[in-house]
Amino acid sequence: MPIPDDVTGHEIDKDVQQELQSLPKGLAEDVARNLVMVAKLLDEDPEQAYAYSRIALRLASRVAAVREAAGFAAYANQKYSEALAEFRAARRMTGSVELWPVMADCERGLGRPEKALEMAGAPEVHKLDKASQVEMRLVAAGARRDMDQIDAAIVTLQSPELASNSVQPWTARLRYAYADALLAAGREDEAREWFAKVVESDKDGSTDASDRLAEMDGVEFVDALVEDDEDADAEQVARAEAVMDAKDTEDAAYTKDAEDVEDSEGAEVESAGSHDVESDDDKH
């Protein structure tokens, strides 16, 4: 697959570059450039990212960073079985537990929420950093909801991180999950309060909390561009109908004129015929 010339491979993290040093130089550069494409396209074009990850995997399947990238590309395309296999391979190579939450979420994707909950209670969770522990909590709450245990999901999300007033990278997502669970439980007033807190902490607009809040308040947004398009379409239809009406009127007038001409010509012929008869009578 083509890779833009401005992608050199040096854009990847230094840790990954170090891993790739075990490969021949030319091969390492090719793998690095494909990994850069995976990272660039993962959010905007997951299918393309997946295609690049497969190339990197074919070139260097024994590199943990490649297996991890392939796992995330498969995960973004909802290929959960494949993603889980790649994450497990990366974990065996590195011994790291940082992929534990996303591995548990793959179990959810495969329809095994019980397995995800089992992983949420495993000793590996205690080895995770704070951000990954919050991610694990989100996965566990999602697993509870998969099992229709809404109240249990709410309790799972109740934590010091949720109650904290400080805004961290995970704050908006944690509050959003909590608000959504409250709404699913029919606790609308509390849900509205927490959606409002999400809006306060979601500075980059990564969630649709403001839309959810407006929906709860009965506010309906109208897309001005769509409205303009509809007005333009209505105007075009009106113009077309006017043209058709004018054409119909013109056709009717033309038909009337034609009928008048025919009547006139018929009258003349009849008159001429009567004169001929009279002339013959005169001869007799």
Side-chain angles (χ1 to χ4, degrees):
M1 294 182 64
I3 297 177
D5 293 336
D6 60 348
V7 174
T8 64
H10 298 297
E11 298 89 343
I12 59 176
D13 294 340
K14 291 183 178 179
D15 292 342
V16 178
Q17 291 183 25
Q18 189 171 358
E19 279 192 65
L20 296 178
Q21 287 179 0
S22 62
L23 303 173
K25 184 178 179 181
L27 179 60
E29 290 178 354
D30 288 343
V31 174
R33 294 181 73 205
N34 277 283
L35 291 180
V36 171
M37 294 304 296
V38 173
K40 286 170 67 73
L41 296 171
L42 195 59
D43 292 331
E44 61 185 61
D45 193 345
E47 290 185 4
Q48 282 286 86
Y50 177 78
Y52 282 106
S53 76
R54 301 307 296 177
I55 295 174
L57 190 61
R58 187 172 66 248
L59 296 173
S61 62
R62 296 184 179 182
V63 176
V66 172
R67 303 303 289 266
E68 183 176 328
F72 277 110
Y75 178 80
N77 285 276
Q78 299 182 6
K79 299 177 183 290
Y80 298 118
S81 181
E82 185 178 325
L84 185 57
E86 297 300 341
F87 290 143
R88 284 173 174 169
R91 182 168 180 267
R92 284 195 300 271
M93 293 175 179
T94 63
S96 173
V97 297
E98 65 179 8
L99 294 172
W100 197 252
V102 71
M103 290 169 64
D105 205 38
C106 284
E107 295 288 0
R108 283 187 61 210
L110 290 169
R112 301 193 291 250
E114 298 88 351
K115 179 63 178 177
L117 288 174
E118 181 183 327
M119 293 179 68
E124 284 83 353
V125 175
H126 301 294
K127 301 176 184 178
L128 298 171
D129 61 19
K130 180 61 69 176
S132 296
Q133 287 181 0
V134 171
E135 193 65 34
M136 190 73 250
R137 190 177 292 277
L138 287 167
V139 172
R144 291 292 186 188
R145 293 193 62 171
D146 292 342
M147 301 166 67
D148 294 325
Q149 299 175 1
I150 302 298
D151 291 337
I154 292 172
V155 173
T156 299
L157 293 167
Q158 292 171 344
S159 61
E161 293 82 14
L162 179 67
S164 175
N165 290 323
S166 65
V167 176
Q168 302 295 334
W170 60 78
T171 301
R173 292 182 61 237
L174 184 60
R175 289 177 176 178
Y176 186 94
Y178 189 60
D180 193 50
L182 288 169
L183 188 60
R187 296 160 62 175
E188 294 188 7
D189 290 342
E190 293 173 86
R192 190 195 181 288
E193 177 185 348
W194 279 96
F195 275 127
K197 290 183 179 181
V198 177
V199 174
E200 292 175 2
S201 58
D202 189 11
K203 302 303 181 183
D204 57 356
S206 60
T207 72
D208 64 346
S210 58
D211 293 340
R212 298 289 300 275
L213 194 60
E215 183 181 349
M216 293 184 71
D217 289 341
V219 177
E220 183 177 351
F221 294 100
V222 177
D223 192 329
L225 291 177
V226 172
E227 192 175 57
D228 290 343
D229 289 342
E230 290 177 350
D231 290 342
D233 291 342
E235 185 177 349
Q236 288 180 354
V237 170
R239 286 178 179 175
E241 289 177 348
V243 170
M244 292 300 294
D245 290 343
K247 188 175 185 303
D248 290 343
T249 301
E250 182 180 347
D251 290 345
Y254 177 82
T255 301
K256 180 66 169 58
D257 290 343
E259 290 175 349
D260 291 344
V261 169
E262 288 181 0
D263 292 343
S264 175
E265 291 177 347
E268 290 179 1
V269 170
E270 184 178 348
S271 174
S274 63
H275 285 307
D276 290 341
V277 172
E278 289 177 1
S279 298
D280 290 340
D281 290 341
D282 291 342
K283 289 179 182 178
H284 291 294

